[in-house]
Amino acid sequence: MTTISPTRVSMYDFLYQDTKPMVSLLADAAKLSLPQARLAMDASLQAIVSALLAYQQHNDGQAVSKKLFSRGAVKELRQYNSMNFSTINATLYHRHDAADAIFYDNARVIKASDYIAQQIDATTQQVQILLTSLCVIVLRELAILAEYSQLDNNEMDKWFALQPQFLSAARFAANEPTSVSVELNEANDDKGLIAASEVVLDSAVKIKSAAKSEHNSNTERALLSTEQLAGTPPAFNPYWHELTTFKPERHEPVQDMQLATGNYLKVIGRSSANAQQGKHNDLLIFAEMTAISLPHQRWLLQLAKISEIYLQRNRLRITSEPASAPKPPLVSLGLIGGNNDNTPTTTSEKPIEYEASIPLWKNPVILIIIAVIGVLGGLAALKYQSQKSDGVLLATEEVIEQDLIEERQQQDVAIVRMDDDDEPDAKETKASQ
């Protein structure tokens, strides 16, 4: 079986990885340094994702699809297939419209920009340019992901309902390394241990002094945390839920009763006991992740695979516009639901049935085409023979009629009309004979 990370269906994780190549462009547009732009992008993505969740919570998936993903700004920006100055100019043109649609009110945009600006030591106007520009990019990327995953309104609602668990503190706490604290035993009077502790303290002071000097020499790099340098998204700040009035609800993914049985899981190849069987080796499933629970549904697996393909393409890298648009990613149906048994399946798990390939000589369409061509050919031959016979008869009739005309002309020439004055001469001639 092939495992895929559950974070591939996380909006926050996807956007964090997807927008990495845009740091320099947004830093230039907002006149920020690269570390400032990276920190501002992280906080802005958290604010935008929280605002999107609040929008869907107050409306539904249909409103998200029609009023956000189908906006004119998103359609215009989707005409560009790479990030460059032309793309960023179009983004800057539509940024206010997109930000107002997501946050409902421009006052919230200003408040969010002011909060981020205080954290990165920048002006509110600089952060507002970056925040509003990201609003357009986020709508564009999520619209592309939803369209090529073929999500309907119901699946859109389920996708949004899964997002709070990716933003919960438990999810990020599970990824943090455990810290080990060592306590000195004050009751221990051993001089050797005291001397060792003094050496350790002296070394710690020297390391701290060196770190402080390095921090002073490179303050911008110190702005970035270890998680951000490593490529993993930083922990989500709950402040954004307060700003956007989003109310996280405890959401447990509802699985079908058939999926809850070990027998059904084994039959469809989603049990570890069935991992070595050949027909299920390539089946796609979600890997285990602390504090994350996802249903193994076809649409969700397809969404995860397309998300992974798009991240591998690095679609937002800075480059010139390609001559032709890249093709949408294709996902093998065998990866997301091969099931050859007769076990009843639910609507969400029912595989798409395709007709087996039919030989050409058994294909009814081919046979009909051949029959039509044969009939038309036969009719054409009959018509040709009929026209040919009519032509021969017509030619024969014309010959006969021509002969009759010639015969009549000969008879007319043979008949000579004589006057009365010539009759005696004729009698004399006859008598002399």
Side-chain angles (χ1 to χ4, degrees), residues 80-310:
Y80 300 93
N81 298 297
S82 63
M83 295 305 300
N84 46 50
F85 288 113
S86 299
T87 313
I88 201 67
N89 287 336
T91 302
L92 293 173
Y93 180 79
H94 294 287
R95 61 189 180 92
H96 291 294
D97 177 61
D100 292 342
I102 294 177
F103 286 93
Y104 282 110
D105 188 5
N106 188 42
R108 289 182 181 175
V109 178
I110 297 176
K111 189 175 181 180
S113 301
D114 184 60
Y115 181 82
I116 298 173
Q118 293 177 2
Q119 295 179 339
I120 66 171
D121 192 19
T123 64
T124 303
Q125 182 64 27
Q126 289 175 311
V127 176
Q128 187 176 1
I129 294 174
L130 187 143
L131 173 63
T132 53
S133 299
L134 268 182
C135 288
V136 188
I137 300 297
V138 166
L139 290 182
R140 173 186 184 267
E141 296 304 290
L142 294 182
I144 293 175
L145 194 60
E147 178 182 347
Y148 289 129
S149 301
Q150 300 178 359
L151 302 184
D152 57 25
N153 296 329
N154 186 30
E155 293 167 347
M156 189 83 69
D157 288 330
K158 293 180 179 179
W159 184 30
F160 274 80
L162 294 173
Q163 299 308 309
Q165 61 182 328
F166 292 103
L167 309 178
S168 64
R171 177 257 169 123
F172 294 101
N175 296 332
E176 293 179 357
T178 57
S179 59
V180 179
S181 60
V182 178
E183 298 180 356
L184 295 177
N185 188 0
E186 297 179 355
N188 192 345
D189 297 332
D190 194 321
K191 296 181 179 180
L193 292 178
I194 295 176
S197 62
E198 290 178 353
V199 172
V200 171
L201 291 175
D202 184 52
S203 301
V205 170
K206 292 181 180 179
I207 293 173
K208 185 176 181 180
S209 177
K212 186 176 181 180
S213 62
E214 183 181 357
H215 172 77
N216 294 332
S217 63
N218 193 3
T219 55
E220 288 189 347
R221 184 176 179 83
L223 287 173
L224 299 177
S225 63
T226 305
E227 291 79 5
Q228 290 161 328
L229 293 175
T232 57
F236 186 83
N237 187 353
Y239 167 78
W240 300 116
H241 289 335
E242 300 176 5
L243 177 66
T244 60
T245 67
F246 173 69
K247 298 179 180 179
E249 300 175 356
R250 182 174 179 82
H251 178 268
E252 294 293 340
V254 179
Q255 298 188 5
D256 300 320
M257 291 304 297
Q258 292 175 345
L259 291 177
T261 62
N263 184 32
Y264 183 72
L265 291 175
K266 185 175 181 180
V267 167
I268 64 176
R270 290 171 187 162
S271 173
S272 58
N274 204 25
Q276 300 301 325
Q277 295 187 11
K279 65 178 182 179
H280 296 305
N281 284 345
D282 296 331
L283 190 64
L284 187 67
I285 64 171
F286 285 113
E288 294 293 334
M289 187 173 179
T290 307
I292 301 296
S293 178
L294 296 177
H296 288 83
Q297 294 185 351
R298 175 178 294 274
W299 66 271
L300 197 61
L301 288 167
Q302 182 169 340
L303 173 65
K305 189 60 180 177
I306 291 178
S307 173
E308 183 179 27
I309 294 174
Y310 267 72

Side-chain angles (χ1 to χ4, degrees), residues 55-65 153 156-157 160:
Y55 187 98
Q56 186 272 340
Q57 191 175 60
H58 297 154
N59 300 278
D60 55 9
Q62 184 177 5
V64 173
S65 179
N153 296 329
M156 189 83 69
D157 288 330
F160 274 80

